């Protein structure tokens, strides 16, 4: 196993009406003037925004609102948020929404507290030295950004989607009320479950440094999300299932399920990032559309993990050759994706990619600042292209 | 499931030579003058103390040393530490050792930063409003105090052993190097594994508010510690096994394995606390000596959990009646204790308790500030006495 750092300082308030504590939490972490950052109108229509601003008014905490964070959040809005914070003397960020609002808020926080262009962080040109304190009210269980150190921003020019990770980006608090995710469309719920599982799967499929405690807890999390996702397809208002998935979303990306490993594989995410940059598909659906092809391409190079996954997560009987067991695990996972109405290839995702599109994505993925990478199997540009082609079901 | 708060701000540095980062971490958390608190001479004989003070000297961080923390750490030393901190203008505590040094340091931190007698906290007469920042270099995997909010102190007068929990008590950082636990006597290692498992078992055996994610991760942790403890009986220098146990120790008591439940049972701990106060036995061994009797006394009132534990943790086949499965799980756990040379009753623990002793302990446990309690089964004084008697193998 490898040495590791584990640092999850986010104070999580989990449960019904947890959002009633927002003013108190902002004060606890020293906030005096708040930027409330959110996405579309759903948090307004649901009454959540009113609930939040009522509390801030009552507590005498001034605030400014900035909406408009979209899936694959845009750099231009980040710039706008930075200017707004500086102009208004904001000292605390409150993201109300899902990963888009949180990631966008993280980037705003970096931009206010670090000199120069904030994109330089996402372009791996420099490191953050600070950020603004950030609190979260989560309305979509998926990205795990509410406890994670990471954020993903898309630069409109060239549609470049890049992630940046720093402990400064970890939120001070996260309010997790499963009821707030009840109104999500089923497709978004399934996308969230896919993303949540993938954050642990990316850490799980590695060729180095495994720790039994991490692996067995990761498998527990994966089994749980798989079963709860199936419940939510039929019963989207099931509070318990919503809660299981919501808490799993935070634990799946706060570092816990990767302790002691080599950092993980992350190629499904990287391949999807290029997809998301070019086509603006839902992140979770993009992951599902790519994963099976990636898995079939790499599994022989990471056979012990694929075998273990098949048995311990997918419940495949431990009979037959290792390869047979591993393949059955991949098939079972694809069956699961179908069961929750997720795509298993680009066509089902609704993407009709030309050869040129695939070549462009593979090239961007390979020559970008992330470079050729992967732990289950080291992938170069031609490997990435092969996986994209497989995912097109040529 | 119940609503919950999850807050584990401790920055964990895990792995070989992690202690080399101690000066850097103290500075990161603002320490200017340090009290190094430790137990006996083992940290001096091992060279660890020299390594620590060399680093502080090099970094120009002044320090004062206070040794003498013993298992079931004493209030008198806490008072001494408080006076020393005030006299020397200490602003940061560094505990080097196991749970005794850490718990003692936590109490010192409370004493310095809160007016009045620090024992009032442990006597449930008031709440802490602050504490001193605390860092930990762990040399014994057991209590989980390095990430937990709790500490246990024994008042010599009347041998009263009491725990106090507050988020203020959570360490700022914890240095976890499995190599530092290599020189532990086998008995202490087994005691540690017992304590680690018990921190999750206390949270697991409840009659309310279970969460599947929590339960399945708890079972993963318990299975892991069980298997690694058996490895360490035969191969105490196994780094991987030491690491699994060490990390499990932190996760088992930081709150993770209790999210969504009703707070847990904790009666084995409470019954052991009275034992520990009166006889000064090793905490882990005391827990092992009590648990089987507690389990046999309460299992019918918490049958679904005992059944699940038997199957998912102890590997008992799911055949027969629920009671049969549950009892087989308890037997398997006692077999496991024997396998790692832990006692399963008071005689094996080396305690020859008279009826009067047992009655006194039951009385103290029941009428103390903790009161009659338990989630698996609510226990009153006569129940506690019955369990003590069972554990004496009358």
């Amino acid at each position: 196993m490898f040495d590791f750092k584990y640092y999850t300082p986010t104070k999580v308030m989990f449960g019904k009406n947890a959002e009633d504590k927002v003013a108190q939490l902002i004060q606890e972490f020293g906030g005096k003037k708040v930027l409330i950052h959110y996405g579309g109108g759903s948090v307004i229509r649901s009454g959540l925004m009113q609930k939040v601003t009522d509390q801030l008014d009552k507590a005498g905490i001034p605030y400014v609102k900035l909406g408009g964070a979209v899936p694959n959040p845009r750099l231009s809005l980040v710039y706008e948020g930075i200017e707004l914070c500086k102009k208004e003397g904001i000292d605390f960020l409150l993201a109300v929404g899902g990963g888009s609002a949180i990631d966008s808020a993280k980037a705003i926080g970096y931009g206010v507290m670090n000199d120069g262009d904030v994109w330089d962080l996402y372009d791996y040109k420099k490191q953050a030295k600070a950020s603004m304190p950030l609190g979260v009210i989560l309305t979509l269980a998926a990205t795990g950004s509410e406890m994670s150190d990471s954020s993903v921003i898309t630069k409109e020019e060239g549609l470049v989607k890049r992630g940046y990770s720093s402990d400064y980006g970890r939120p001070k608090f996260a309010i997790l009320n499963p009821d707030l995710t009840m109104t999500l469309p089923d497709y978004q719920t399934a996308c969230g479950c896919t993303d949540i599982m993938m954050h642990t799967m990316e850490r799980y499929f590695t060729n180095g440094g495994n720790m039994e405690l991490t692996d067995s807890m990761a498998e527990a999390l994966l089994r749980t999300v798989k079963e709860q996702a199936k419940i939510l397809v039929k019963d989207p208002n099931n509070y318990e299932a919503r809660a299981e998935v919501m808490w799993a979303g935070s634990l799946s990306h706060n570092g816990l399920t990767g302790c002691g490993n080599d950092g993980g594989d992350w190629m499904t995410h990287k391949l999807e990032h290029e997809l998301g940059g070019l086509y603006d598909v839902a992140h979770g659906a993009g992951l599902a559309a790519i994963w099976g092809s990636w898995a079939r391409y790499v599994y022989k190079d990471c056979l012990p993990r694929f075998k273990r996954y098949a048995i311990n997560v997918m419940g495949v009987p431990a009979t037959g050759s290792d390869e047979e067991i591993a393949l059955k695990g991949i098939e079972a996972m694809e069956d699961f994706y179908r069961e929750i109405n997720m795509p298993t290839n680009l066509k089902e995702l609704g993407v009709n990619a030309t050869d040129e599109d695939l070549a462009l994505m593979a090239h961007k993925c390979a020559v970008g600042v992330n470079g050729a990478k992967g732990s289950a199997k080291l992938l170069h540009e031609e490997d990435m292209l092969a996986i994209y082609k497989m995912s097109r079901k040529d």
Side-chain angles (χ1 to χ4, degrees), chain A:
Chain A
M1 79 187 61
F2 289 86
D3 299 342
F4 62 86
K5 178 186 73 178
Y6 181 76
Y7 184 48
T8 58
T10 308
K11 181 177 276 195
V12 173
M13 305 304 286
F14 193 102
K16 287 183 181 289
N17 301 310
E19 66 274 16
D20 290 350
K21 302 188 183 79
V22 68
Q24 177 192 322
L25 284 163
I26 289 170
Q27 285 171 327
E28 184 181 329
F29 288 101
K32 300 266 186 287
K33 186 168 184 185
V34 177
L35 178 76
I36 306 176
H37 194 39
Y38 62 103
S42 65
V43 299
I44 294 166
R45 287 191 301 276
S46 71
L48 176 59
M49 183 62 80
Q50 191 65 48
K51 216 172 165 186
V52 169
T53 54
D54 282 353
Q55 267 191 76
L56 297 190
D57 287 338
K58 203 172 162 188
I61 304 169
Y63 55 85
V64 174
K65 292 193 273 186
L66 176 65
V70 293
N72 303 314
R74 303 300 160 134
L75 183 60
S76 57
L77 185 68
V78 171
Y79 288 145
E80 192 183 332
I82 294 166
E83 289 313 306
L84 190 59
C85 283
K86 288 180 177 173
K87 190 182 126 208
E88 296 280 349
I90 300 292
D91 65 2
F92 197 95
L93 299 167
L94 177 68
V96 182
S100 309
I102 306 170
D103 284 12
S104 187
K106 286 183 181 181
I108 292 170
Y110 290 133
V112 171
M113 300 296 284
N114 295 275
D115 293 335
D117 185 353
V118 70
W119 183 252
D120 286 350
L121 300 175
Y122 293 84
D123 214 13
Y124 289 81
K125 286 187 184 150
K126 64 177 187 186
Q127 290 291 322
K129 289 177 180 164
S131 193
M132 286 175 73
L134 164 67
V136 171
I137 301 178
L138 192 66
T139 62
L140 194 164
T143 67
S145 190
E146 66 276 10
M147 275 191 102
S148 83
D149 63 351
S150 65
S151 57
V152 180
I153 297 293
T154 296
K155 185 181 189 175
E156 290 89 335
E157 186 192 334
L159 285 173
V160 187
K161 186 174 175 180
R162 293 276 177 259
Y164 178 67
S165 297
S166 160
D167 279 337
Y168 293 117
R170 294 191 189 268
K172 297 295 179 193
F173 67 79
I175 288 172
L176 271 59
N177 175 0
D179 276 331
L180 298 181
T181 68
M182 291 283 189
T183 53
L184 268 186
D186 295 344
Y187 185 74
Q188 287 301 328
T189 299
C191 282
C193 292
T194 303
D195 195 21
I196 288 166
M197 291 184 74
M198 197 65 70
H199 288 146
T200 287
M201 291 159 72
E202 298 278 23
R203 292 171 165 93
Y204 184 90
F205 289 107
T206 71
N207 268 313
N210 303 123
M211 195 168 185
E212 178 56 33
L213 179 59
T214 298
D215 288 342
S216 56
M217 294 180 83
E219 288 159 358
L221 183 146
L222 291 166
R223 281 194 308 271
T224 304
V225 179
K226 175 167 67 75
E227 293 311 312
Q228 305 299 323
K230 290 195 275 188
I231 292 171
L232 288 174
V233 169
K234 292 175 186 164
D235 183 13
N237 290 323
N238 187 311
Y239 178 87
E240 304 276 314
R242 290 274 176 198
E244 300 277 0
V245 166
M246 193 170 214
W247 186 218
S250 300
L251 294 182
S252 191
H253 203 31
N254 76 359
L256 179 70
T257 60
C259 291
N261 78 9
D262 63 357
D265 185 84
W266 295 104
M267 279 314 302
T268 308
H269 261 82
K270 290 203 169 77
L271 291 164
E272 195 287 325
H273 275 191
E274 300 307 331
L275 258 184
L278 209 55
Y279 298 101
D280 222 10
V281 296
H283 175 55
L287 293 170
I290 292 284
W291 185 81
S293 299
W294 168 84
R296 287 169 199 279
Y297 193 85
V298 309
Y299 79 97
K300 288 183 188 168
D301 292 79
C302 192
L303 200 52
R305 310 295 294 168
F306 274 91
K307 180 188 175 184
R308 188 177 165 153
Y309 185 85
I311 295 167
N312 291 352
V313 178
M314 301 312 297
V316 171
T319 51
S321 71
D322 288 359
E323 286 200 17
E324 283 166 355
I325 294 169
L327 271 176
K328 279 182 190 162
I330 295 170
E331 284 160 17
M333 191 66 198
E334 289 176 319
D335 287 344
F336 162 72
Y337 283 143
R338 288 183 199 104
E339 195 171 344
I340 63 168
N341 303 311
M342 281 286 101
T344 58
N345 57 57
L346 294 189
K347 280 207 179 66
E348 290 171 10
L349 180 65
V351 166
N352 290 306
T354 63
D355 284 351
E356 288 70 31
D357 292 337
L358 299 188
L360 175 67
M361 290 194 296
H363 185 68
K364 279 169 75 181
C365 191
V367 304
V369 284
N370 290 322
K373 229 178 160 180
S375 170
K377 179 184 174 78
L378 190 69
L379 300 181
H380 300 279
E381 186 172 333
E382 61 268 29
D383 302 305
M384 299 173 191
L385 181 59
I387 292 168
Y388 279 133
K389 283 191 173 173
M390 282 169 73
S391 73
R392 201 173 55 179
K393 291 282 170 195
D394 285 351

